[in-house]
Amino acid sequence: MSLDIERLKAKLDSLKNPKKGGSNNKGDKKTWSPDTKKTNTIRLVQYPYGDDPFVELHFHYNIGKSGILCLNKTYGNRCPICEFGYELYKSGDKETSKKMFAKQRVYAAMIDRSEPNPTPRLWGFGKEIYQQLIESLLSEDYGTFLDPVNGLDAELKCEKADGAEWAKPKLTFKRKESRLAATDKQVQEIRNSVPNIDDVFKPLTEKEIEARLAAWLQMTDKDGSETVKGSEAQSVTSESDPESSNDNIKDLDEAFEQAIKS
């Protein structure tokens, strides 16, 4: 068996220079984040696993180190974090309930033009880019940007305003049409290789979410960074009445909207 020397060199380089090239050298090759130090040239690709080119997900970001898919907002099922946050809201703890609110994250398939052999990945972004992409799809000038033959590349730059904590992405479509790839075969290979988002972000079960929430409450209680009553923390892992849970879910959206505005 012959060795793939170039691939081995790339792996060695990533081990020696883990921060080289921004955030795209992570082990997860199914998602993509822009290099904040340069202008990224990308091409968006039609998501092949549904009619919508964009996939909306909702995550709870403040419970532990990693985001948790919201079972309620994403799938319409019971979500222990949403229910607990709603109970906090009703008790008057609106500040903590804001942190429990699920945040929307939208994903689109794309390739990075800087790669010699572009690999389709999923790029996650927020409301502003999402709105811009929908408006572009509906416009006469940019409505065909997803077309594999006559589509448009885009430049993506992360700019940080004075006094801002985070840099915001700015997307600008190029005016000149171009092919997704040089040949029809390469175009099809890219489209066939787009990751299915269901394989990338898998939801936790209710029991797993309850365990994560309980562990987070214990951590915050020890650190003193959050004020949550012990009885409330214990109630997270207890079985709740399905009917009362459904009643809570009906009021979640309104409650959290009010909590965010206040």
Side-chain angles (χ1 to χ4, degrees), residues 184-254:
D184 291 342
K185 181 180 179 182
Q186 290 172 329
V187 168
Q188 195 57 45
E189 286 175 350
I190 289 175
R191 297 175 75 176
N192 291 342
S193 301
V194 172
N196 189 327
I197 202 162
D198 291 335
D199 296 328
V200 179
F201 300 104
K202 296 183 179 180
L204 300 177
T205 65
E206 289 184 18
K207 292 290 185 182
E208 290 171 332
I209 291 177
E210 287 174 346
R212 288 274 293 271
L213 180 55
W216 174 75
L217 288 170
Q218 291 177 0
M219 287 285 292
T220 54
D221 186 52
K222 290 178 182 178
D223 295 341
S225 56
E226 301 286 350
T227 303
V228 182
K229 295 179 181 179
S231 60
E232 290 175 329
Q234 292 176 357
S235 68
V236 172
T237 56
S238 64
E239 292 292 337
S240 58
D241 178 58
E243 292 186 4
S244 64
S245 298
N246 290 335
D247 289 340
N248 287 347
I249 291 297
K250 293 176 184 177
D251 297 327
L252 277 173
D253 289 340
E254 181 180 354

Side-chain angles (χ1 to χ4, degrees), residues 9-189:
K9 286 181 179 179
K11 285 187 175 183
L12 180 61
D13 183 58
S14 66
L15 289 171
K16 289 183 176 180
N17 305 285
K19 296 183 179 180
K20 182 180 177 182
S23 58
N24 295 328
N25 283 330
K26 295 180 181 180
D28 181 8
K29 292 298 183 182
K30 294 182 180 180
T31 59
W32 180 87
S33 297
D35 188 332
T36 58
K37 298 180 181 179
K38 70 174 188 179
T39 299
N40 305 264
T41 301
I42 66 173
R43 177 62 168 265
L44 295 171
V45 183
Q46 174 69 45
Y47 185 69
Y49 303 101
D51 297 330
D52 197 324
F54 314 115
V55 181
E56 298 179 19
L57 298 179
H58 288 81
F59 293 89
H60 295 283
Y61 285 115
N62 296 300
I63 312 300
K65 295 182 179 180
S66 59
I68 300 173
L69 270 174
C70 176
L71 300 183
N72 176 31
K73 289 283 189 178
T74 305
Y75 305 105
N77 298 328
R78 172 184 175 254
C79 177
I81 297 176
C82 286
E83 291 184 359
F84 185 74
Y86 179 57
E87 290 303 317
L88 289 178
Y89 174 81
K90 289 197 300 182
S91 70
D93 189 354
K94 295 183 179 181
E95 196 61 35
T96 306
S97 73
K98 291 180 185 180
K99 299 179 181 181
M100 316 292 285
F101 187 70
K103 305 294 191 302
Q104 185 188 63
R105 192 72 173 164
V106 184
Y107 288 84
M110 50 73 68
I111 60 171
D112 187 334
R113 288 297 198 192
S114 68
E115 297 179 347
N117 299 303
T119 300
R121 297 187 177 91
L122 297 171
W123 168 41
F125 44 85
K127 180 181 178 181
E128 291 184 9
I129 292 291
Y130 189 27
Q131 181 176 325
Q132 179 185 352
L133 290 175
I134 292 177
E135 290 174 347
S136 298
L137 276 178
L138 297 174
S139 73
E140 294 182 0
D141 294 330
Y142 305 109
T144 59
F145 69 80
L146 288 170
D147 191 289
V149 177
N150 300 312
L152 300 170
D153 286 358
E155 291 186 343
L156 181 66
K157 189 186 303 182
C158 295
E159 299 179 341
K160 187 175 182 180
D162 293 339
E165 184 177 359
W166 305 103
K168 285 190 175 183
K170 181 180 179 181
L171 185 74
T172 305
F173 282 106
K174 294 186 176 182
R175 301 291 299 184
K176 187 177 180 180
E177 296 177 349
S178 63
R179 290 178 59 91
L180 175 61
T183 67
D184 291 342
K185 181 180 179 182
Q186 290 172 329
V187 168
Q188 195 57 45
E189 286 175 350

